[in-house]
Structures are given as C-alpha cells and as structure tokens.
Amino acid sequence: MAANYEDHSITNGTGVEGHEPSALQKHVMFFDTNKDGVVYPWETFQGFRAIGCGILLSTFASVFINVGLSRKTRPGKGFSPKFPIEIKNIKRAKHGSDSGVYDTEGGFVPSKFEELFRKHAKTNANALTSDELKNLLKANREPKDYKGWIAAYSEWKILYILCKDKQGLLHKDTVRAVYDGTLFDRMAKEKAGKKNHRFFFKEKM
C-alpha cells in the first residue's frame, strides 16, 4: 500500500482502500494522473488538454473545478492553496440543479438516465440537440441555485462542444459513458491516436 505526503491510502485510485469506486468517483478518476486519490488543478488541466480542450478552456476548468470543489471534499481539514480534490469524498461535491443521474452516494441511477432522454430527446430518441439540451438545463434548475445553474451549464456545454456529431447531436451512449467514467479515457486515446497518426505520416514524408 502506498500513500502520498498527505497520507491518502491508495489501492484503487480513490484513496479508499478495499472499496469499489462509485460511478461518480470513476468519472473523476481520469483526472488523477498519478492515481493517489487526489486531483490537483494541474492534473485537471492536463486531463482537459488530453481530451481535446484548448489551453484557455483547460485553464478555466482547472480553476473553476478545483477551487469550487476542493473544500467540499476535504471535510474537517483546513484551507489548502493547492486546492486538492479528494476523490473518496467527491459525493460531497454534487451540485444542485443536476439531472439526478448520480444518487447521494455517487452511484449511477439508470431510471434517471433513461428519464433524461425520455423527457427531452424529441428529435431523436437516442440523442439531444442543442435546443433540447437547453430545455433539459432549464427543467433541472432549482430556484435561486445560481452556482448549480452555472456548474450544470458548464458541464453540459463542454460535453456538447466536444462530443456532438456533424448533425449537432449529442448521443445517448456518449452521455452514458461520461456518467460511468469511461468517456474521458476513450477521448484521450482517440486524441493520442490521431496525434501519433499525424506524426507517423510526417516522418514518412
């Protein structure tokens, strides 16, 4: 068993020994580059760059996410200027005005996921258009939960920009993958593959 200087035990990338990660934890674990159970702003930045985001967006995301979530995931601990996010406590950082697809423990709720598309996917039963996504966000808004509105909008907007198809559709399987934590790894591998492909042909020229 290994531990970093803040004594976070690591066996599965969450900092929780002997526990299967929740869907929400898996969603976050991609950004934990050294698998110590803690995500720092520079790791968030690297993660967003790896999935295809530009420098400005990656910088904004790393500041917005880590500053916003760090304190919530470190109950009983003092302020840290490094703004670490402890994956084992990520359920504490769930924001309001969300879809409810994650339960209070960070588990995936299939019925809520299906409801999301049943209610809002009108053009295509297995995808969301830009307008349908806007309606989804409006429907989930809780009164005066401005932080939740911003968080939900940011998450969905980035996902839509990165993953929509040529017809402007955000597909159901893509959304499912972001909830179960498999999408980011897939996107990073695809981006790395394209980079290697370009490098190969450049070397051949």
Side-chain angles (χ1 to χ4, degrees), residues 113-126:
F113 177 75
E114 294 299 331
E115 180 182 298
L116 186 154
F117 280 85
R118 187 169 60 252
K119 284 185 175 180
H120 302 287
K122 305 299 184 182
T123 306
N124 184 318
N126 293 308

Side-chain angles (χ1 to χ4, degrees), residues 67-105:
V67 171
L69 304 187
S70 178
R71 195 70 177 268
K72 295 178 181 178
T73 65
R74 304 176 69 248
K77 297 181 180 179
F79 169 78
S80 171
K82 293 184 177 181
F83 296 104
I85 294 172
E86 294 188 7
I87 297 176
K88 66 181 180 181
N89 295 321
I90 194 63
K91 66 181 182 181
R92 294 175 175 270
K94 280 181 82 275
H95 59 77
S97 301
D98 65 358
S99 61
V101 176
Y102 289 128
D103 62 22
T104 56
E105 295 299 312

Side-chain angles (χ1 to χ4, degrees), residues 115-191:
E115 180 182 298
L116 186 154
F117 280 85
R118 187 169 60 252
K119 284 185 175 180
H120 302 287
K122 305 299 184 182
T123 306
N124 184 318
N126 293 308
L128 293 168
T129 65
S130 178
D131 287 339
E132 289 167 349
L133 185 54
K134 290 176 183 177
N135 291 334
L136 181 156
L137 289 168
K138 288 180 181 178
N140 288 340
R141 286 179 181 173
E142 298 172 5
K144 298 183 179 180
D145 177 30
Y146 303 118
K147 289 183 179 179
W149 297 3
I150 294 172
Y153 176 83
S154 300
E155 292 167 355
W156 281 100
K157 189 65 174 179
I158 292 173
L159 179 63
Y160 181 79
I161 291 172
L162 291 177
C163 298
K164 66 181 178 180
D165 67 12
K166 293 180 180 179
Q167 285 72 47
L169 296 174
L170 180 62
H171 289 270
K172 186 176 183 179
D173 59 345
T174 299
V175 179
R176 177 68 171 81
V178 79
Y179 278 117
D180 67 22
T182 60
L183 179 66
F184 298 143
D185 277 313
R186 189 174 77 199
M187 291 174 68
K189 288 176 182 177
E190 288 175 355
K191 185 173 183 292

Side-chain angles (χ1 to χ4, degrees), residues 23-40:
L24 182 55
Q25 287 173 332
K26 290 177 181 177
H27 172 81
V28 179
M29 284 167 62
F30 167 78
F31 298 93
D32 182 14
T33 56
N34 62 357
K35 307 305 176 188
D36 65 349
V38 184
V39 179
Y40 291 95

